[in-house]
Amino acid sequence: MPPKNKKARQDPSQDTLKHAKQLNGEMLYTYLALCKRELDTSKDAGSGLSNVFWAKIMEEYNAKFNITREPKYFSNVWFYQKAKYNTWTWLLRRTENGFNAETRTFHLPSEEWDALIKINENVNTFRKCGLLHEDLMKSIFANRVATEHV
């Protein structure tokens, strides 16, 4: 059910990948926690979630934040966060010595960053920060991400 507050209604054009990339903070945590909960309760969640689970996530998320997001938005967020986790794990494998386990960030010389970005431009995301909600992301995507060795 859409929120009664017209200001809270979201234009469907805001369900784009660009908007999915901007998700952070409490909204991202809530999204990931809902996905994890549904995956934990699913009998066959090998590759992802069923339409029934997506409907639950969408309903609960929209109600919590008093907004109306369409299924496309949730799909965009899923694939963007999955790609982000995949990039994170790729970077971890490539730069074992440059990772600071205490701060959960990478400390590499500029030349090394530039070289890595030429191979995989998505690593630029982690040049100044770590992976938000790393534990949740791992529990959701670790068994669903192809282990591609580049």
Side-chain angles (χ1 to χ4, degrees):
M1 173 183 252
K4 293 179 183 179
N5 179 351
K6 289 183 181 181
K7 288 184 181 180
R9 290 184 183 197
Q10 298 294 314
D11 180 352
S13 67
Q14 295 212 359
D15 288 344
T16 64
L17 183 57
K18 175 185 173 189
H19 291 92
K21 288 180 177 181
Q22 295 171 350
L23 186 66
N24 59 28
E26 183 185 1
M27 292 178 114
L28 176 59
Y29 179 82
T30 299
Y31 173 84
L32 293 171
L34 290 171
C35 288
K36 181 177 180 339
R37 184 192 70 202
E38 295 305 324
L39 286 166
D40 288 348
T41 61
S42 174
K43 292 178 182 137
D44 182 32
S47 62
L49 295 167
S50 70
N51 289 339
V52 173
F53 289 121
W54 281 118
K56 284 183 189 177
I57 290 168
M58 186 172 73
E59 182 181 338
E60 202 168 322
Y61 182 91
N62 285 337
K64 177 172 180 156
F65 295 108
N66 196 28
I67 59 175
T68 302
R69 289 289 192 199
E70 300 298 322
K72 182 70 176 167
Y73 175 78
F74 294 96
S75 175
N76 283 336
V77 172
W78 176 269
F79 287 111
Y80 177 68
Q81 295 303 326
K82 183 176 170 181
K84 207 168 165 183
Y85 179 78
N86 195 20
T87 300
W88 174 261
T89 58
W90 179 86
L91 191 56
L92 280 172
R93 288 190 309 269
R94 296 290 290 233
T95 60
E96 293 171 11
N97 295 333
F99 183 69
N100 183 327
E102 214 172 283
T103 63
R104 309 301 296 164
T105 57
F106 295 92
H107 299 282
L108 305 168
S110 292
E111 306 80 39
E112 193 170 347
W113 276 114
D114 294 342
L116 288 166
I117 290 167
K118 283 181 184 175
I119 298 168
N120 184 343
E121 66 185 28
N122 295 326
V123 302
N124 196 36
T125 303
F126 302 112
R127 196 169 190 160
K128 294 184 178 169
C129 64
L131 181 67
L132 284 177
H133 312 298
E134 183 182 347
D135 292 339
L136 262 177
M137 296 277 268
K138 183 177 182 180
S139 67
I140 293 169
F141 297 118
N143 297 324
R144 289 167 194 82
V145 175
T147 55
E148 177 183 312
H149 295 284
V150 180

